[in-house]
């Protein structure tokens, strides 16, 4: 499973072009207000002045997945509204996430709140959420399904805050709690993107279920991979700040695994570090990395990722598609998961 | 037009009871998460611990208006989803407004962000917006209509930020800009509440137009009255901080009127006060109040309010209702507009 992110972009390219066109078309139909230029900016359709440009605005992987699967059913056009709504919704969540996490940059560009202030960040996000819902108005049978999934994503964000605010020593700060967070915050939308394609194509329930399984298993693997990368990934390959999750004391899967197997003396030490206010120091992060390296957390997380990737591929191969199409879905799983062994400094 | 706010509450009471029941029922169907207790808290259905209680959670005037008019058409039950969505949406905007305005209290209680922090405030607002849209899923023909109006409200908030950020000396800081703000931010939703009742009752276009006129004219009068109260109202009657809009240098109608008629020397002085960072001092506010009192801004705003109130009543009397029903709609106009002469210290 050792592909460049570039390959993912290539697979989704013919679809992301259509989704981007549709989003641009919808924004074009909105009043001439700077607020809509902020959305264009965040999508990568405009610069800070509102001047049209095209810069990288994300992998468009969720909407791309929806369109690609719909296309396999011969229903690409029918999925366009659902896919555009998913992409618009996903980017709305990022606009608000950036405020909540105080992130000043994303995809190498200033975040919306960083350019226009927190109030505009909140309000433009609100507007974009409504724009996503307006797109769903034309999304036929997927409308109700996706609206429910969107609410689950917000519930996931709530659970994420809750887990973040918990002391790592809290008995509720478990892998189960972590899974519950990512299930709603990340996995639900990826599963929904896959299943929406089946709904659009009026596929029977068992096919829709397989699509849901494919999307959600892919989602789990994707999120856990993200956790792994933040600890062991090479920042020049991933584009992320090295050990960012560690500095921010995020309770990701490797950390929760580590805590569980530590001696009570070490648990206390980690608990103290994690209960400090503010970011950890370089020295403190190095200390935790050393513990992580020796703990088997890497192998544990990696095995989990492999299991989810396998489950996603199994679902792909059970779908009523040609061998070629199944292979494409299987390749997407590998292409989306960065090659952590190669990019990491874990030996 | 000299009624206590109590009368408004009385008129809407039988309807707000139903709307509150419906909102509670919908929240009851949501997962057991503190996030939904935050919504209950803000609606006045629960305390900070999530324990059920019933405290004042607003006049429910928008949803009440929708239900009352629908009831006049004999379609009260059919309007319940639309009315509940309107109330839920309106309260979502307040949750985010309170963050944006740094307001720590509303209706005598701590605001959501003040109790649970800004991140939860943003996120719970997001969830509540989606809950409002989910209610619309059962709102039949009003669904599309209301979704569009909801987006207009957010556009109004954007324009409000823009006007607030403008120097008062800016040639774009005009009464026209102010009207554009309130048209979208406040008036659109009140007009929508009235028209939605007509849509639900399958009324012909001209009746729907009359309802829209009734609601929007009422909305203009309502918002301008709010502006007047903030300057000349008695805070013990209104429940608002005396001269709050002045301290915050809001560009309300009386201030924009004043600026226009000032000498260029006085304009410069006001421009300087309004370009200071932070709140104005008591002395500075007193100085502006003196100018306002002498300017005729009170009379000007009051006359505008009267005109809008009259237009609302005219629309009410053109509706295909019995005399008694028309009189009720007319009385609502008076009941909603506080008696500023009686409560103010302007002589």
């Amino acid at each position: 499973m050792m592909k460049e992110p570039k390959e993912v972009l290539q697979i989704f390219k013919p679809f992301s072009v259509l989704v981007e066109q549709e989003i641009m078309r919808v924004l074009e139909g909105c009043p001439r207000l700077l607020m809509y230029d902020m959305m264009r900016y965040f999508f990568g359709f405009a610069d800070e002045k509102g001047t049209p440009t095209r810069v990288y605005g994300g992998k468009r992987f969720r909407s791309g997945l929806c369109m690609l699967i719909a296309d396999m059913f011969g229903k690409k056009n029918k999925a366009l509204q659902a896919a555009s709504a998913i992409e618009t919704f996903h980017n709305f969540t990022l606009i608000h996430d950036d405020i909540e996490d105080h992130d000043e940059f994303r995809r190498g560009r200033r975040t919306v709140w960083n350019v226009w202030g927190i109030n505009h960040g909140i309000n433009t996000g609100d507007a974009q959420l409504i724009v996503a819902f307006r797109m769903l108005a034309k999304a036929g049978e997927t409308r109700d399904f996706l609206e429910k999934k969107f609410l689950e994503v917000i519930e996931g964000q709530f659970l994420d805050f809750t887990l973040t605010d918990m002391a790592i020593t809290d008995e509720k700060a478990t892998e189960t709690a972590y899974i519950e967070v990512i299930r709603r915050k990340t996995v639900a939308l990826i599963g929904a993107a896959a299943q929406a394609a089946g709904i659009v194509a009026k596929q029977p329930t068992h096919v829709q279920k397989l699509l849901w399984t494919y999307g959600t298993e892919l989602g789990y693997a994707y999120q856990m991979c993200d956790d792994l990368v933040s600890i062991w990934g090479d920042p020049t390959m991933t584009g992320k700040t090295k050990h960012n999750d560690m500095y921010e004391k995020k309770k990701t899967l490797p950390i929760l695994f580590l805590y569980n197997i530590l001696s009570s003396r070490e648990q206390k030490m980690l608990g103290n570090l994690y209960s400090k206010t503010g970011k950890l120091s370089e020295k403190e992060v190095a200390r935790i990395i050393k513990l992580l390296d020796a703990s088997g957390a890497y192998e544990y997380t990696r095995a989990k990722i492999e299991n989810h990737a396998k489950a996603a591929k199994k679902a792909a191969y059970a779908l009523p598609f040609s061998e070629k199409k199944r292979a494409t879905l299987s390749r997407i799983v590998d292409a989306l998961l960065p090659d952590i062994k190669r990019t990491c400094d874990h030996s």
Side-chain angles (χ1 to χ4, degrees), chain A residues 16 20 33-34 52 59 70 77 79 82 97 111 120 130 139 153 195 210 265 296 302 308 312 320 325:
Chain A
S16 60
E20 289 176 356
L33 295 175
L34 171 64
K59 290 187 289 295
N77 293 338
D97 274 15
T111 47
H120 279 300
I130 298 184
V153 172
Q195 189 176 340
L210 281 171
R265 202 180 55 88
R302 179 113 195 160
H308 286 297
K325 287 177 180 173

Side-chain angles (χ1 to χ4, degrees), chain A residues 18-306:
Chain A
L18 297 175
V19 168
E20 289 176 356
Q21 269 175 4
E22 175 60 15
I23 295 172
M24 280 190 277
R25 193 191 64 77
V26 168
L27 294 181
E28 207 52 49
C30 294
R32 299 277 145 265
L33 295 175
L34 171 64
M35 185 176 84
Y36 293 104
D37 284 335
M38 296 180 195
M39 297 183 194
R40 285 189 190 90
Y41 167 81
F42 192 72
F43 275 119
F45 303 157
D47 65 15
E48 290 182 20
K49 305 270 174 219
T51 312
T53 179
R54 292 304 287 276
V55 299
Y56 178 67
K59 290 187 289 295
R60 318 290 190 209
F61 131 58
R62 291 157 185 83
S63 55
L65 188 68
C66 178
M67 290 285 282
L68 177 134
I69 297 174
D71 190 43
M72 290 180 172
F73 289 118
K75 300 286 178 194
K76 183 177 67 178
N77 293 338
K78 271 196 76 187
L80 186 59
Q81 294 302 321
S84 303
I86 288 168
E87 198 60 47
T88 303
F89 174 80
H90 173 61
N91 278 274
F92 136 74
T93 66
L94 299 181
I95 291 176
H96 278 188
D97 274 15
D98 288 339
I99 299 171
E100 291 154 4
D101 296 343
H102 314 285
D103 283 333
E104 295 176 6
F105 291 88
R106 177 182 291 273
R107 303 163 186 156
R109 302 164 85 214
R110 294 170 72 197
T111 47
V112 171
W113 73 266
N114 187 16
V115 179
W116 289 283
I118 296 213
N119 283 2
H120 279 300
I122 296 173
N123 197 62
T124 298
D126 292 345
Q128 188 160 323
L129 173 54
I130 298 184
V131 170
F133 272 90
R134 292 303 299 148
M135 289 168 168
L136 284 184
K138 293 180 192 158
E141 309 89 332
T142 59
R143 185 177 189 178
D144 249 46
F145 170 73
L146 287 175
E147 284 191 357
K148 284 177 196 153
K149 293 300 168 193
F150 288 179
L151 185 52
E152 253 187 77
V153 172
I154 311 292
E155 290 170 357
Q157 180 73 341
F158 164 79
L159 291 174
D160 198 3
F161 293 152
T162 309
L163 183 59
T164 301
D165 291 344
M166 256 178 225
I168 198 162
T169 52
D170 191 317
E171 59 179 15
K172 284 188 214 141
T174 60
E175 183 176 323
T176 310
Y178 164 87
I179 295 291
E180 191 60 18
V181 167
I182 70 169
R183 180 175 75 79
R184 303 204 208 199
K185 185 175 171 176
T186 307
V187 170
L189 195 59
I190 301 172
Q195 189 176 340
I199 295 174
V200 155
K202 299 192 191 303
Q203 289 299 303
T205 312
H206 77 275
V207 174
Q208 286 191 34
K209 273 192 184 162
L210 281 171
L211 289 168
W212 173 256
T213 302
Y214 172 74
T216 51
E217 293 294 344
L218 176 57
Y220 282 117
Y222 181 71
Q223 181 57 51
M224 289 174 183
C225 218
D226 212 51
D227 291 1
L228 211 60
V229 165
S230 183
I231 298 173
W232 288 285
D234 176 353
T236 62
M237 294 288 293
T238 62
K240 306 213 174 194
T241 313
K242 193 166 171 86
H243 298 154
N244 191 45
D245 286 2
M246 308 290 311
Y247 284 103
E248 301 210 346
K249 297 175 290 185
K250 289 205 180 152
K251 293 181 200 75
T252 61
L253 189 56
I255 285 287
L256 291 169
F257 173 86
L258 168 66
Y259 184 81
N260 247 342
I261 60 138
L262 288 179
S263 69
S264 59
R265 202 180 55 88
E266 288 169 322
Q267 282 187 335
K268 214 169 165 183
M269 184 278 292
L270 195 62
N272 285 338
L273 283 182
Y274 264 60
S275 64
K276 279 179 60 173
T277 46
K279 286 194 177 186
L280 293 181
S281 72
E282 228 172 290
K283 220 173 169 177
E284 288 163 338
V285 167
R287 193 169 168 194
I288 302 173
I289 297 285
K290 208 177 155 191
L291 284 174
L292 275 166
D293 275 343
S295 70
Y298 173 85
E299 291 72 15
Y300 179 78
T301 309
R302 179 113 195 160
K304 287 253 166 193
I305 295 168
E306 286 292 348

